[in-house]
Amino acid sequence: MDTQNTPIHIRLWNKDFWLLSIAHLLLITSMYILIPAIPARMQAHGYSGMETGLAMGAMGIGIFLFGGFVSYLIKAHSRNRVCQYSILCIIACIACLYYIDSIATQASSVRYYFIIRLLMGAFYGLAEITLMSTLIIDTCESFQRTEANYSFSWFGRLALALGPLASILIYRSMGYANDLLMACSCAFAAIILISSVHFTPKAPGEILKIFSLDRFFLPQGFLLFISTVLVTTILGLVFSTTKDPVFYAMLITGFFFSFLAEKYAFANADLKSEALTGLICIGTAILLLITRYDIIVNKLAPALIGFGISLIGSRFLLFFVKLSKHCQRGTSQSSYFLGWEAGLSLGLFLGYGILSDGNKALIVAFVLTIVTLFFYNFIVHPWYMKHKNR
């Protein structure tokens, strides 16, 4: 039987790794705080579902804007400075959100929301790609890097629950402005942590290409990229239907059990078992949310979703690494990030903008789960087994 050999530990003495991982957690938390906050604000001010959907979906477009220039920027400039300045621009974009409704009419404000979210996505993509594809790799020895990539991704996954959970609680008790303040504070704390890590300057190569797929997108991972987009589109659709803090708290429970399952239940399982199990758990959770909603389902369904999305995320991340060739590890990480964020934004756009109904969004999410399961099992996994390089 082909085993997964999933790494689950990182060396605790690597202080720089942990500083960057916490910075990663804080940066993504600052972005995910806005997932419930912006729709709540826009709906309270009378914006239509399509207008809200466009604002939420714009970030998914923005993350691709600077990607092709990442390799040039980090070779021509200090790589940690590129990340820090990008986060400063994110903070400026979040601050601008506070003033949109006061400086323009509602009709023109929609354009401002779209533009700011687009720019926010662009700088977020630049910061995260730099952080994932370069900074975190530079802090580890070559034999630790797969381990580091795996562990690093868990911090981002935790932010998927922590950001919306904090946002909802703050919005209900202290209002929208404090949500934005918390998002800015998390991003600023990320800058401070990155500043505390020393990076040895690297001399640029002889040839600097302004635009390159290096550290941006892995062409040989395209089908896996599509699968990642599909999975997180389902997640975005589900997120568009709930503003319940219990939902996001139970996601964390699901993450915890998935971590244990990866260590014990799936350690020697068939390679595709994690992804298929994850999709089945997500489909079961969505079906429960569609057919009945009570106290038990309110807690069980998000835990199943958290369990499933973590299993899939961990496995797909390692698949991206194994599809990459020599010196393409950073590119594989950014491809995984792009697929994850693009799908999440697409799901939020569809949920708020096209469907505008919680039950319809869940039905579409369920159908998409079935489609993704068959697509992965019969197309993506056989293709992966044929094309993996490691």
Side-chain angles (χ1 to χ4, degrees):
M1 179 182 292
D2 194 1
T3 59
Q4 297 196 25
N5 300 318
T6 303
I8 58 169
H9 298 296
I10 192 69
R11 298 175 190 275
L12 296 178
W13 47 259
N14 191 334
K15 183 187 71 172
D16 290 345
F17 169 82
W18 290 107
L19 289 172
L20 291 180
S21 295
I22 296 171
H24 175 60
L25 170 67
L26 290 169
L27 174 57
I28 298 183
T29 298
S30 73
M31 302 306 296
Y32 288 173
I33 281 173
L34 304 176
I35 289 179
I38 291 177
R41 173 73 169 186
M42 295 185 74
Q43 290 168 355
H45 281 69
Y47 291 91
S48 69
M50 179 55 73
E51 290 168 339
T52 303
L54 286 171
M56 298 308 295
M59 200 178 90
I61 301 171
I63 58 173
F64 292 91
L65 294 184
F66 292 151
F69 304 99
V70 171
S71 182
Y72 169 77
L73 289 171
I74 64 176
K75 288 178 181 177
H77 306 282
S78 175
R79 55 200 186 281
N80 54 318
R81 296 299 181 205
V82 171
C83 186
Q84 290 170 310
Y85 291 148
S86 298
I87 299 174
L88 279 175
C89 291
I90 291 172
I91 294 173
C93 289
I94 296 173
C96 287
L97 287 173
Y98 180 76
Y99 295 101
I100 288 179
D101 295 319
S102 62
I103 63 174
T105 63
Q106 183 166 311
S108 61
S109 290
V110 175
R111 293 195 295 271
Y112 287 112
Y113 269 111
F114 183 86
I115 292 170
I116 290 173
R117 288 284 291 171
L118 188 72
L119 290 173
M120 191 183 299
F123 292 118
Y124 174 53
L126 180 57
E128 270 296 305
I129 290 174
T130 305
L131 190 56
M132 295 180 71
S133 70
T134 302
L135 299 187
I136 194 65
I137 291 174
D138 288 349
T139 64
C140 301
E141 299 294 337
S142 58
F143 65 89
Q144 293 179 314
R145 286 173 179 170
T146 297
E147 221 176 337
N149 293 147
Y150 173 84
S151 301
F152 189 72
S153 70
W154 270 99
F155 286 85
R157 216 164 291 138
L158 184 60
L160 186 67
L162 289 180
L165 176 61
S167 176
I168 294 167
L169 295 176
I170 293 171
Y171 189 93
R172 290 181 178 180
S173 59
M174 294 182 284
Y176 176 71
N178 285 284
D179 260 348
L180 299 184
L181 180 61
M182 176 59 71
C184 289
S185 300
C186 288
F188 186 72
I191 294 176
I192 294 174
L193 289 175
I194 294 170
S195 301
S196 66
V197 178
H198 174 72
F199 294 94
T200 304
K202 290 185 178 181
E206 295 181 3
I207 300 175
L208 289 179
K209 293 183 180 179
I210 294 178
F211 186 90
S212 170
L213 292 182
D214 183 33
R215 294 185 175 88
F216 173 42
F217 189 76
L218 190 71
Q220 62 264 35
F222 181 72
L223 281 181
L224 188 58
F225 173 82
I226 295 298
S227 293
T228 307
V229 171
L230 289 172
V231 169
T232 52
T233 297
I234 296 165
L235 190 63
L237 283 166
V238 174
F239 277 15
S240 72
T241 67
T242 182
K243 293 182 176 65
D244 183 2
V246 174
F247 179 93
Y248 294 102
M250 293 306 297
L251 275 182
I252 300 174
T253 303
F255 295 163
F256 173 75
F257 281 109
S258 73
F259 182 83
L260 295 178
E262 286 175 9
K263 183 177 180 180
Y264 299 108
F266 293 101
N268 296 299
D270 186 82
L271 271 176
K272 63 181 178 181
S273 61
E274 275 183 295
L276 294 181
T277 301
L279 286 166
I280 291 170
C281 287
I282 292 171
T284 302
I286 295 172
L287 193 60
L288 285 172
L289 292 172
I290 293 171
T291 56
R292 56 179 295 178
Y293 194 80
D294 53 31
I295 295 176
I296 296 176
V297 171
N298 187 40
K299 294 180 172 61
L300 178 61
L304 284 173
I305 291 172
F307 182 82
I309 200 69
S310 291
L311 289 180
I312 297 168
S314 295
R315 178 45 46 195
F316 280 11
L317 176 73
L318 295 178
F319 278 2
F320 270 111
V321 172
K322 292 184 178 183
L323 283 168
S324 64
K325 299 176 182 177
H326 181 63
C327 295
Q328 286 187 315
R329 176 182 294 275
T331 310
S332 71
Q333 300 303 294
S334 60
S335 298
Y336 170 79
F337 162 76
L338 292 170
W340 185 277
E341 292 295 338
L344 189 60
S345 294
L346 178 59
L348 292 170
F349 166 71
L350 293 174
Y352 285 112
I354 303 297
L355 301 170
S356 297
D357 179 87
N359 201 53
K360 288 181 182 178
L362 289 174
I363 292 172
V364 171
F366 180 74
V367 172
L368 194 56
T369 304
I370 302 300
V371 171
T372 305
L373 191 150
F374 281 97
F375 177 65
Y376 173 77
N377 188 56
F378 294 109
I379 298 177
V380 177
H381 191 78
W383 163 85
Y384 165 76
M385 294 301 293
K386 185 178 180 180
H387 292 87
K388 64 178 181 176
N389 291 300
R390 304 178 189 223

